[in-house]
Amino acid sequence: MVRIILRGCNGRMGQEITKLCKSDGETEIIAGVDLSNRFENSYPVYDSFFKIKEKGDVIIDFSSPNGLKEMLDYSANSGTPVILCSTGLSEEDLGLVKKAAENVPILRSANMSLGINTMIKLIKEAAKVLSEGGFDIEIVEKHHNQKLDAPSGTALLLADSMNEVLGGEYDYVYDRTDVREKRGEKEFGIAAVRGGSIVGDHEVIFAGLDEVIEIKHVAYSRAIFAKGAITAAKFLQGKGPGLYTMQDVIV
């Protein structure tokens, strides 16, 4: 049984993980950390990591970057691995994460979906082949009308993954309205759509001469991200210190 400490337990993703763990059979949430007390949970909820009395096997973090240092300090002091699902981390935050990973295993991903991370493997291979054939690469992402950031962290993850295998030569273009010139050869166009209750829709378009390849992922509920986080928590058991990603999980 994997004993989980859940940061952000009273948020939407925290409640999804809580629900899935009840039926999983291999995981158990033994404590939560959240400033909100709007839900009643079957486990104790604390407003600080250093008030936790229980001993967990892993921390799953689906909260904001606020409080990141406290969580990493607790992780280092207790030797507890971390599944880091928070987005919007600053360069300073990333430095703290990298430093902490020298002592404990930390798995960080902008998107915990097993489907998205399989998609990343596919587009990296496609980008290596098709960029040589003169294909242009565009990314279109769609989300609900309450999402604050654009483009999404996942869209940037897709772009970064392809740029990594292409030698970092590509620029990102987010808006063409003020640019009166032809599309560059070494660029990713990234477009964001916001509307309704769209959970998450990401499409990578490889547009060549007389042919187009589209690789697309559609999320129909937030449960897929919770499922990925639980899978990652199981994966991290017994791993040594270091920085891991979901790509390590799906190998």
Side-chain angles (χ1 to χ4, degrees):
M1 184 70 70
V2 180
R3 294 161 55 84
I4 296 170
I5 297 172
L6 181 57
R7 180 175 181 240
C9 61
N10 286 330
R12 287 181 298 181
M13 285 308 308
Q15 288 299 295
E16 286 286 351
I17 293 173
T18 297
K19 182 169 62 177
L20 283 180
C21 282
K22 288 179 180 178
S23 59
D24 179 67
E26 297 179 2
T27 55
E28 175 189 9
I29 301 175
I30 53 98
V33 178
D34 205 309
L35 296 178
S36 167
N37 58 2
R38 59 178 174 157
F39 295 110
E40 287 193 13
N41 298 292
S42 59
Y43 47 84
V45 178
Y46 303 92
D47 60 10
S48 169
F49 271 93
F50 292 103
K51 294 181 181 179
I52 296 175
K53 302 178 179 66
E54 296 74 14
K55 170 62 178 174
D57 299 314
V58 65
I59 299 165
I60 295 180
D61 172 31
F62 258 113
S63 188
S64 72
N66 296 331
L68 175 69
K69 186 177 186 304
E70 180 190 280
M71 180 182 69
L72 294 177
D73 287 345
Y74 174 87
S75 169
N77 292 339
S78 63
T80 311
V82 178
I83 308 295
L84 184 58
C85 311
S86 298
T87 58
L89 300 181
S90 67
E91 288 300 318
E92 181 180 355
D93 292 333
L94 294 175
L96 293 174
V97 172
K98 185 176 180 181
K99 182 67 176 177
E102 295 175 2
N103 300 303
V104 292
I106 296 179
L107 188 149
R108 175 178 173 263
S109 179
N111 191 304
M112 300 304 295
S113 159
L114 298 174
I116 278 287
N117 283 280
T118 301
M119 179 182 180
I120 288 172
K121 294 184 70 173
L122 296 174
I123 63 174
K124 287 169 74 172
E125 290 301 313
K128 285 190 290 186
V129 174
L130 299 177
S131 64
E132 295 294 326
F135 280 68
D136 297 319
I137 303 174
E138 295 278 317
I139 299 171
V140 179
E141 59 97 344
K142 305 173 186 177
H143 283 87
H144 53 87
N145 57 22
Q146 301 301 302
K147 187 171 178 61
L148 300 179
D149 57 318
S152 68
T154 300
L156 294 174
L157 175 62
L158 297 174
D160 290 344
S161 299
M162 291 187 289
N163 212 8
E164 179 184 355
V165 299
L166 297 176
E169 298 179 353
Y170 280 66
D171 296 321
Y172 301 175
V173 177
Y174 305 105
D175 186 359
R176 302 185 188 279
T177 56
D178 295 329
V179 180
R180 298 285 295 176
E181 60 185 34
K182 294 194 299 183
R183 186 191 196 281
E185 291 183 6
K186 300 284 188 179
E187 70 178 47
F188 297 141
I190 304 177
V193 176
R194 296 289 175 267
S197 59
I198 301 171
V199 174
D201 186 325
H202 293 85
E203 183 176 14
V204 179
I205 303 166
F206 299 92
L209 184 62
D210 298 328
E211 58 181 335
V212 174
I213 297 174
E214 299 175 349
I215 300 177
K216 182 175 182 178
H217 177 272
V218 180
Y220 292 105
S221 82
R222 294 180 178 84
I224 63 170
F225 310 121
K227 182 178 179 181
I230 292 171
T231 301
K234 297 174 184 177
F235 162 84
L236 216 54
Q237 299 308 293
K239 297 294 187 294
L243 198 54
Y244 300 84
T245 72
M246 285 297 288
Q247 293 298 298
D248 299 308
V249 176
I250 64 173
V251 169

